[in-house]
Structure formats: C-alpha cells, structure tokens
Amino acid sequence: MARQKAREQRRDPVERSFNREWSWLRFNERVLEEAEDPQNPLLERIKFAAIFATNLDEFFMVRVAGLYRQLEAELPASGIDGRTPRQQIDGVAVLAHELTARHEQAVTQLLAELEPAGWRVRGATELPAPERSYLRRYYRQLLYPVITPTIVGPKHPFPVLPSGALTLIVGLNERRERALRRARTSARKPRRVVGLLPLPRVLPRFVELPHGRGPRTFVPTESILADMIEELFTGYRVLSVATVRLTRDADIALDEEATEDMRRALAKRLLGRRHGAVVRLEHSAELDTVLQRWLSDELGLEAQQRYVGRTLLRCGDLLQLYAASDRAELKYAPLQPLQPLRPRQQSVFEWLRARPQLVHHPYHSFDPVAALVAEAAEDPDVLAIKQTLYRTSGDSPVIAGLTRAAERGKHVTAVVELRARFDEERNIEWAKRLEYAGAHVVYGLVGLKTHCKALLVVRREADGIRRYVHLGTGNYNDATARLYTDLGLMTCDEAIGEDVSALFNVITGATEPPVWRKVEMSPTGLRRRLLELIEREVDRSRPAARGRIVAKMNALVDAELIEALYAASRAGVRVDLIVRGTCCLRPGVRGLSEHIRVRSLVGRWLEHPRVLWLRNGGQDELYLSSADWMPRNLDHRIELMFPVEEPQHREYLSAVLELQLKDNVKARELTAEGRYRRVERRGAALDSQLAIYDYTRRWQQAAPAPERRFIPLARP
Amino acid sequence: MLARVIAPRWYRGRMPRRVATRASGLGRAGTAPASRAVAPPPTRQQQPSAARPPGRLLATVDIGSRALRLAIGEVVAGQPVKRLESASVPMAVGIDTFSRGGIRAATTEDVVRTLEEFSRILAAYGLTPADCRATATTAVRDARNREVFLDRVTSRTGFRVEVIEAIEETRLVHQLVRHLLGAAFERGHVMLLALGAGGTHVIVQQDGRLRLAETLHFGLLRLAQGTAGDPITRRGARRFVDKVVRSIDRLHDLHDVDRLVVVNSELYRVAAALGSPRRTPAGLSMTRAALRRLGQVLEQYSARELAEESGLDQAAAELARLAFAELEAFCQPTRASHVVLPESSMLDSLLLDARLRSEPQTEGVADQQQVTEAAAWAVARRYRTDELHAAKVRALALELYDGLQPLLGLGPRSRLLLSVAAILHEVGLFVSTHAHGQHSAYLIANSEIMGLTGEELQRVALVARHHRRADRGIASLELGPLPAGQRVELLKLISVLRLADALDADQQQGVVQLTVQVEGEELRVRAATHRDDPEVFADLLRVFRDKGELFQDVFGLTPTLTEVLVA
C-alpha cells in the first residue's frame, strides 16, 4: 500500500493526465475521421468536414487565444497536466497543422467525390464564357454594392480585419500614370501597395449557377471577386491575389475558464472581441512570400500560427452545400422522431400526473416539451411559467409559448443567458420580444452563467397547487433537439417542483441556495455531491460485488473528480466513461486507472447528455445533469443534477448506456497513450445511436398503458 | 437591463475581487428606479385568479436580523402546511441596528428591492403583498428609525409589516415545535432553544407542562459583534452565555432536562453537512457524543471551509459556530442524551400561525390560550405563588365571567386577560406582603407571557394591581391614561376578579361551585361548599361585601352571597 502510494507520488502530473487542449484536438480528429469515413453518406461527410472547421475556429478563438494570453502574462504551468503555456501552444500547433493538412486532403477528396454525384465546386476562372458572364452579372448586381476595397500604404494603416472573415489580399503595383499624378514629378517610381477586399458577410459563400438538367455548380465568392479584381483597383497593376483569414482572441474565456490569478494578470487586457489579438492566420497558397512576411510582421505572428490552405478557407461554409441538397441518398436516412405515448386529446398535465416521463431526443420528438409550454400558455389554471433559456432559436415554439403566456397575463419569468458563447446578439433580440410581451426577463447572476435547463409550470388544480417541471441536459431548442442527443425528465414530483421553484428564486436573486430536496446545484454543492457519490461507490464496493460507475459527459477535465475516479479504480470499482470530447483522465494505467475505460462516441447525432449511473451496492442510482465535469461547469456556472427515480426510466437509461458501451461502429476507445482507437469489432456491428432508436421504440411499445384514472372535473 | 444582473451574496465570496466590485457597481448603478421601471405591473398578472380567491394559499415574509425571508404555503386539509416556495436573502438589517442603532438607507433600499423580487414570486401564485403577512423582529423593533423604515417599505412595496415582540417570537417557535414534534414534545423534560440572530428564546417543558419561557435579548448577531470569527473572543461570547445559562439554571433546575430541541437554520445546515446526524421525521437527531465530535470539527475548520462544506456563506457559517457554542452552553447543565434539530425557521412558524389564525373554528385558538395560561403559570411559579389559591381564583373568576357574559359584553380575549390576571394576582407577595398588588403589577408588567402583547400585559398588570379591597371605589383606581373602552373593560375585569378573590379569601378552596343570577338590583351569587362553618362564612361574606363595592359601582348591581352546603 505504502509502495503504491509512493509510486503514485512519483508520477508527475504529465503522467497522471492528458493535456486538455491536445485531448480536445483528438476529439476534433474523431470528427474528421467521420468526414473521411467512406461508410458515411457523402453530404454527411461534408457536414462533418464543415463541423471540424467551425470547431477548430472556436478552439483557436477561445482556447489557443487563452494560451497566448497566459504566455504574455508570463504565467507558469496552467494545465491540469502541469505543462507551461509555451509547451501547450507548441503541442497544439504541431497537432493542429497535422489535422488541418488531413482536413484539406479530406475536403479535396470530398469535392472530387461530389462530381460523379452531379455537383461541382469551381473557381470562376475555370468556367466557360456563358457561365462567367452570369457571374459577372451577379457581381455587378449583388456583390459590387456591398464591398469596400481598401489600400494599405503609408497613409492608410492596416485596417482591423474582423475575426473569421475572408479577405482578398491583393499585391498591387501602382501604374505609372497614377504615380505621376500623385507625385507631380516624373522622378517618383511606381509604388508597390497592398489592396484588401473583405468578402461581404451578408451574401452566401457559394453562388450556384443556374443548372437546368446539368450538374449543379457552386462558385466560391472569393473567386468571383478575384476574377473582377482589376476593375476594383483601377490605377494599379495586380501582381497577386490571395485569400486570407484571421482568427482572433474572442476574449470570452475570462468569465469561466480562468483561475483567479489569471484573471488578475489578465485584467488589463480586456478588449472588445473585434480588436482581440490575432491567434491564427490562414491564407491560400497564392500568397506570395513578400506579403506573407509583411502580414506576419504586421500582425506579430509566430511562424507556427500561419496555416496555408490549398483548397478552401473557412470550410464551415460547406454547410451551405449540405443545406442546398435535396438528395436524400447523400444524407443519413431520416429517422422519424417517436412520439412519446400520450393518448390523443389528453393534456400534457394529465399525462404527467399519471406518471413522470423521460424524453430522449432526437429519438423522441421535442413536441411534448413544446406542448407543455403551449398548453400552459393557454390553460386558465396555469398561474406561472418559468424557464431558463441558454441557446434557443427566436422562432422556437418555446419562445412562442412563453410570449403567448405573457400576453395572456400569466406570470412568465425567462432567465436568458446572454453570455451563451457566440449567441449573444441573437439572444438579446428575442429576449426583448419576450419583455415587450410582458414577461419578466432576467439575465442571471454576475459571474455565473445559467447553464441549467429547467422549465416550471405552476398550476392551480382541484386538490391544490401543482408544479410541472421539465429538467433537461440540453437546450430548449427544437432545431438542435433533432441533431443533439439529450435527455429530459418531465414530472410533477413535489420535491423536484419545490427545488426548481427555489432554483428560479436563486437565479433571480430572490434567495440563497436552499438545502435541496432532490436536486443538486453548482457552484455550491454539485462538485461535493459528485465526490461523495464516487466515494460512496468505493465504500460499497466488495470483492464479490465490485462497485461500478458509468458516467457519460461531453468533457472530463476536472482534476479533483479525475483523482476521485483514480481512487475508485484503485479500490477496484469498475469505471466506464463515455466522454465525447476532451478527456484529461488517463485510463488503463496499472496502479492508477486500470479499471477505468474511456470511450468516445461521435456519430450522426451529437452526443450531449450527462448521465451518471452508480451501482450503489445493488440499489442502482441514476442522475442526469446539465454539467460537464469541468471546473467552469462546477465552479462558475449554475448547473443542475437531478435523480432519475422511476424504475422504468432507470431501466431504460441503463440499457441505453449499456448499448453505448457495446457500440463497435462509432465508438473509439482511449488508450493509456492518449490516442483513440476504433473498437475492435467482434460479432455483429452495433451502431449505438441506431440501436437506441430501435430500443426506444420497443421500450415505448412495451411500456404499460397509462392507468385509467377518474379525475373529477374541476370546473364545467 | 443590467439592473437585473445580480451578484448574489452567497457567490460573492467565491468571485474574484475585480468582478465582485464590478458586480456590486452594477447593482448600485441600476438601483430601484430602473428596476421598477421594467417590472411588470402587478395588476396585469393573472386575470383568472382575479375571478376567484387565491384558495388556501398562505404567504409570509419575515424581515429578520440577518435575512429577508419569504414562504408560500398551501393548506391541504388534515396535513401540515405544504411549503410551496421559500426564499431567503441575507440582509444587514441586524448589523445596522445592533452596531449603529438604526437601519441605513442603503440597507432599506436592499430590503425594498428584495421585497419587490418577493412580490414577483407571490405573483406567480396569483398573490399580492396584501395577501401576505409580513413581520419584522428584533432588528426592526430595536431600530431608532423603525417608523421611517416601515413607512418606506410599505409605501414602496405594498407590504404592511407588523413588528412582533420577542415573546411573540417565542410563542411562534413553541407553537411550531409542538406541531412538528407532536406527542414527543409533550413527553419528558424538554428544553426548546431557538437561537435567533436577534434574540434567544428558551422554553422548558416538563411532561407537557410549560415550566419556563424566556426571551434573552442577545442573539447570534450581537454575540458575533466584535468576534469576527476570532476564537478568543468567541470563547468570550461563550463565557457570557454560560453566565446566562447559570442564571436560568438557578430559576429552574436544568439538570433534569433530558432532551434539547434546537431551532437554528445555520446550525441545521452545518450539522446536516458535518455532524453525521440521524435523520428523523422531526429533523436531525444527534447524541451528545456526536455533538462533541461536531464541536471538534467546528474548531478545526476555517469559516471558509465551513461555508464550503455547508453551502452557507461565510458570515452564516460563523453564526453557526456561535450557535453551536450557545447550544453547548445550554446543554452542559442538563442530562440530555440527545439534541433534535428540526428543519424549520421563523417562516414555518409564521405559516403555521397564519394557518391556525385562518381556522378559528378549530382547536387552534383554544390551544393558543392554553399556552398563554401555561406561560402565566410558569411566571406564577417563579414567584412562588400559592398555586391552589391562584387556580381557585381563576376558576371562580371564569365561572363568574361566563355567568355574567351578557352583562359584561366582552370578548374572549378579555376572558383570557382575566384568567392570566387571576393566575398572577398574588405574585407580588414574593416581594412583600405590604401593598402586594403594586408588586404584582410591576412584576407582571416586566414579565413576558407567550401569546400576550406588551400592551395586553400592561392591562393584566392593572387588573392584578387593583384586585385588593384597599382600593375601593372607581375614583381610587389608578388606571392611567386609557381609551374609554379599555378603561371600562378593566373596571369590569377588576370587579369580577375582586369577587372571585373574595370567594377564596380564606385560601382554603372551599367553594366548589357557583351559580350567578341577576334579580332586580341584585347579583345573587350562590356558592356551593363542603364546609359547614358559619364563622368562616361570616368572614367570607364580609370580604365579599367589601370587594363587591366596585362591582356595584360598575354594574349598578349589589352582589349578594348565599352558601349552599353540598355533600
């Protein structure tokens, strides 16, 4: 025992855990693998390629930018693995360059594969004359009015190019006449200048040519502009045209990600997003070396921050192609969302009074959740609706329901999280709409993002006040509910109702966190509760009946929880982790984590639920949560964890988790070296997402019909 | 918009300073006017509920020394009040009052803002501030500027705040614990301790009989003043409490106490988190040994650690530590084997009280009267009054009162005052046999009796003061400046008490039954006795005539007495 402990202590942090940033990049690699996987339908692969690109953009804006800030502030080692910012940045650069190159290859391959399917992406100059004249018309009518070419020279400093935008950078040589005019003497030599032409953000990236019966052709906007560049910079001779794109520090990591020391060190560097420091320069291969050097100097970049794109930049725009297609055979066969068993004509309230319901999107339709809000809005006995809104769409049925309820004079409280990353502007807009309708809109607590997903309906019934609650792992967004897998519990359980009422009071500042009856909240008690649960599993583990923990989440970063899991493993508890993204835990190391297995699922739907399943000495317990096991979730966000108590729900959830642990199509296992390997396939292929769809359908059919209950009419 | 971004106190401790300052800056910048402007008008809420009454919903708000609290409960027949909603926001009202003497403007503003937030919670149940019983305790009661504070709160929020007295708090806690613990509370020798931020309430009960009910005018906040988490001054606070406990122990031997019930929400949280208690329906139960272990843990932990473990803020965690010291001090002289910590607060007691008040038909009111009388008995015993005589006088006075009911025209509350006055009329003998009526009066006036307001106690004191025949006619009574109605009420009660006292003048409890009858100008009192002693009767008759003079003045009826011998 003592020896083991000594061995433990000898292990340095680098050995005990994986670097968070590198682990994230490995996750994005798995997304890329889906783009490369010929088993996937073509357009889905294009979509994965686009998601890889947008993921990576966000990673640079937030994480890499954070590392550079730490570097500038000369902070010592910051990561869970004890690596310095410099070590992390260098590691990220190597991996990111490698992945970007692979991504390029994949995109080239995908575009080539699109041709036989009747789709092509072409530069303007590659097209025959009639089509080019169409593009010329397009340029004159639509593009020209919205573009602003600028010259950078001694009198025109380098403009601030917005993060993520594409810009054409043009090497120009002044024509003799112009130079003369400027100098008014013949002695002046024509100057070399640089022209910049930002691509309009209001127009789509790809312009589709009219195609009739022929193949569909998409032309990237930058190539149309490049074709017309001589017209735009009259008085100059064009030497070269290239596309560049900057990724800037989004300055948003501060709230949650930074430690206190970091905050202090970084306090002076709070700048607007548009003016954030540049963390990455991407440019097309055409950029000549003079301009390359000039740009790097101008922006103060290291060589490794420069990425050369040989096909397209900003591949996130490829989603436009995905959306433009009506070719079902190029996409995943659609699976009709199941409608949870609710008798026609029965109100959601009646349905939930009979028994609590577990909804699993996208297998289940989002309708019951929307119906709860919609019915509550119309029901004369409903007194109040309270809801948290993190990311949602303005045209979502949930917002419509809340607006309607407020207009009907019900007490509506909407907790709108404005700091939902990159969604701020959209959120402000519909928050105002809600406010005009008469809802009480609150924006949460300073320093704490409201990340929990809760909906509360207060209804007056014949036997008193009853509260209907929906608690979920994902956002109230009907659109993402079709793309993300998420779990939700709908119930009128009294204790949960009381807890959720209190939760809203906490968020609106009307109370301190109380002693919860069934739920647990961060940042006050969730971390402690998780630690307690893990410790309890250790206590209850016996050689004959070893403890077991199955935890599913998007990211596992928190050092304290990782250590608790190591301790559980050492005590012989079997730990199965299903972590989609970042995982800093190092599994399968003797004497440290030999009983821990980590797998990741990246499939057609984005795995999003957070589930915890504990054997608990034979009395299984299951919890759902909105929180990942990361310091930001546990210490700087309002998150919720709630128990799943119905035996049928527990049975369903454990079966779902078991299916995910048996997946041998989309699952990758994390090795002790930090690589993800596809699971060796023994026996029949099992894609857990499809298997869960089937299971859900069967489970639903097998579920007992709702009991017939005779409920007196409260009113005629 | 920014006005509604709130920096919660419970989180401030965790926030980096820079953010925290910005946060509070935001709060201040967007203070009330802005937030009032965006608040939806309460009248717009809930058309459906306007059409029908809010049913059996009860709402209470309490402006305590340390926090503002709200509870909304629902009455379901035959069940305890179901708590639908509760909220609590820490507030420096007590700190202001205890250290500065008055409530600061900024605190008043915080109170107003929080109450506005509370009215939103009420609105979600179709309730308005007018439907809510709002009370305030020590911190407001003792504030120099209490009237101004109350006026501002009412005019800005619509909450009508009732300032309740310390003994009323004691009564509320007692009532609540009796309800929570039920029969268990009526067994054995129990000490109930309510450790409030503004005051401490001690009740000792033996086999269901109230032995002691005291409010001590120091609460945790006052104890905390100057201690600032410092263990040395904390020990000083402990020494102070020890002294108080010794004085209580002299009043009532605490050694026999075999169980403690302690009401304090901070201590409850800490005990739940760190004390590994047994959870019972009544609350947490801890043995003496567990208590000792908890004490050791509390000594080892810093306030910050304590806060993290219990989920309280640091200030509250510090109060929990003091509450524990207070509990230890009270526990020491007893032989209590365990301590029960119910999960309840002032709010629960207010909710329960609101329920009992709303059900006058039930046993609630009668029960309250019994508690008040029990509290009066506890005072009587403290001054070693002749309990048999007091009980007889009380019984006779009430028989007379009930017999004369149409003539008196007084309500049940006056009956209670008469009963208490009868129990306590001779406590003055403890001081001196000379002018004992006067001594009784000031002892009563300076006691605390659960269920009676300070003003009612003054009236009881006046009734007791004039129970003696030395003060004969109306003119000789010193009742002080009183409204006419009250003056008459007192005169009626005094004259009844005098007759009752006369009927047991020999203090032998000879009279077993009374009948009263008005005939013409006479009030005929027929007393049934066992004894057949004309001499005693002659004495009794003389006293009766003497003491009956006032009755004659007040009612215009001459009381006559006849004795009937019964087997």
Side-chain angles (χ1 to χ4, degrees), chain A residues 341 695-704:
Chain A
L341 283 182
Y695 177 75
T696 308
R697 192 172 45 204
R698 276 182 283 127
W699 177 71
Q700 194 160 284
Q701 282 159 0

Side-chain angles (χ1 to χ4, degrees), chain A residues 66-81:
Chain A
L67 289 175
Y68 273 104
R69 271 187 269 158
Q70 292 172 36
L71 186 71
E72 275 174 50
E74 294 175 358
L75 291 182
S78 60
I80 174 176
D81 55 344

Side-chain angles (χ1 to χ4, degrees), chain A residues 137-187:
Chain A
R137 272 204 311 282
Y138 178 82
Y139 163 77
R140 293 212 192 292
Q141 288 170 4
L142 286 159
L143 280 174
Y144 184 73
V146 290
I147 52 175
T148 318
T150 48
I151 296 283
V152 183
K155 286 191 179 166
H156 304 91
F158 194 79
V160 177
L161 299 179
S163 186
L166 286 175
T167 305
L168 286 183
I169 182 161
V170 194
L172 298 166
N173 224 348
E174 213 173 17
R175 286 188 197 277
R176 199 170 172 71
E177 318 77 273
R178 189 185 151 84
L180 283 175
R181 211 166 46 238
R182 170 169 59 80
R184 292 202 186 133
T185 68
S186 56

Side-chain angles (χ1 to χ4, degrees), chain A residues 314-623:
Chain A
R314 206 167 78 186
C315 285
D317 291 336
L318 287 172
L319 279 178
Q320 195 193 327
L321 299 189
Y322 181 89
S325 163
D326 48 5
R327 300 271 295 275
E329 77 279 12
L330 296 182
K331 293 184 178 176
Y332 285 130
L335 290 176
Q336 204 54 40
L338 304 165
Q339 292 296 337
L341 283 182
R342 173 156 67 100
R344 270 174 193 285
Q345 309 298 326
Q346 190 186 38
S347 84
V348 185
F349 302 120
E350 218 173 296
W351 183 54
L352 292 180
R353 263 203 312 274
R355 69 165 49 93
Q357 298 289 338
L358 188 72
V359 280
H360 194 181
H361 313 297
Y363 311 108
H364 281 133
S365 136
F366 189 66
D367 291 353
V369 185
L372 179 58
V373 183
E375 273 193 40
E378 301 296 336
D379 188 306
D381 289 325
V382 166
L383 299 170
I385 309 176
K386 300 186 181 189
Q387 185 162 25
T388 61
L389 297 165
Y390 189 69
R391 279 175 213 270
T392 187
S393 52
D395 51 358
S396 104
V398 169
I399 300 281
L402 289 180
T403 313
R404 176 95 185 107
E407 284 166 354
R408 285 179 54 95
K410 299 201 184 298
H411 180 90
V412 174
T413 299
V415 180
V416 178
E417 181 48 70
L418 290 181
R419 291 156 292 187
R421 202 180 274 175
F422 307 118
D423 272 351
E424 293 94 328
E425 284 160 26
R426 222 174 312 158
N427 285 2
I428 289 175
E429 181 202 325
W430 52 255
K432 274 193 190 142
R433 249 178 27 224
L434 268 176
E435 204 161 49
Y436 288 139
H440 175 47
V441 179
V442 285
Y443 299 104
L445 302 165
V446 170
L448 286 169
K449 268 190 197 176
T450 310
H451 193 248
C452 58
K453 331 290 177 194
L455 162 63
L456 171 76
V457 175
V458 181
R459 187 167 188 259
R460 193 191 348 241
E461 300 188 351
D463 52 350
I465 297 280
R466 184 166 279 122
R467 282 175 287 207
Y468 295 85
V469 172
H470 172 274
L471 292 175
T473 62
N475 296 309
Y476 290 103
N477 187 326
D478 55 315
T480 55
R482 288 192 289 269
L483 306 170
Y484 293 15
T485 66
D486 264 308
L487 284 154
L489 179 70
M490 301 172 80
T491 178
C492 56
D493 180 273
E494 213 171 89
I496 289 185
E498 193 183 322
D499 279 349
V500 174
S501 282
L503 171 78
F504 280 101
N505 294 342
V506 170
I507 300 173
T508 54
T511 186
E512 292 183 292
V515 180
W516 303 101
R517 290 181 64 183
K518 284 194 179 168
V519 309
E520 193 51 79
M521 184 190 105
S522 73
T524 48
L526 184 50
R527 173 193 292 281
R528 201 177 57 236
R529 181 96 179 104
L530 287 171
L531 289 170
E532 277 168 11
L533 288 173
I534 296 172
E535 277 165 27
R536 190 188 66 186
E537 199 58 26
V538 170
D539 288 346
R540 302 205 170 161
S541 179
R542 300 280 171 275
R546 278 164 49 189
R548 187 175 186 219
I549 298 172
V550 182
K552 178 174 160 60
M553 63 201 84
N554 300 337
L556 170 57
V557 175
D558 190 82
E560 208 178 350
L561 287 166
I562 289 176
E563 286 301 323
L565 289 173
Y566 285 153
S569 166
R570 282 197 301 271
V573 174
R574 237 175 83 207
V575 182
D576 281 308
L577 301 173
I578 308 169
V579 186
R580 186 196 75 214
T582 313
C583 175
C584 295
L585 178 142
R586 185 187 285 270
V589 177
R590 267 200 72 190
L592 177 75
S593 55
E594 60 207 284
H595 300 303
I596 306 180
R597 287 191 308 163
V598 181
R599 54 168 49 205
S600 167
L601 292 168
V602 176
R604 68 162 70 188
W605 293 306
L606 184 82
E607 288 293 335
H608 200 244
R610 287 85 168 187
V611 191
L612 176 62
W613 173 20
L614 303 132
R615 175 153 291 162
N616 187 28
Q619 292 179 311
D620 292 35
E621 277 185 7
L622 274 145
Y623 297 90

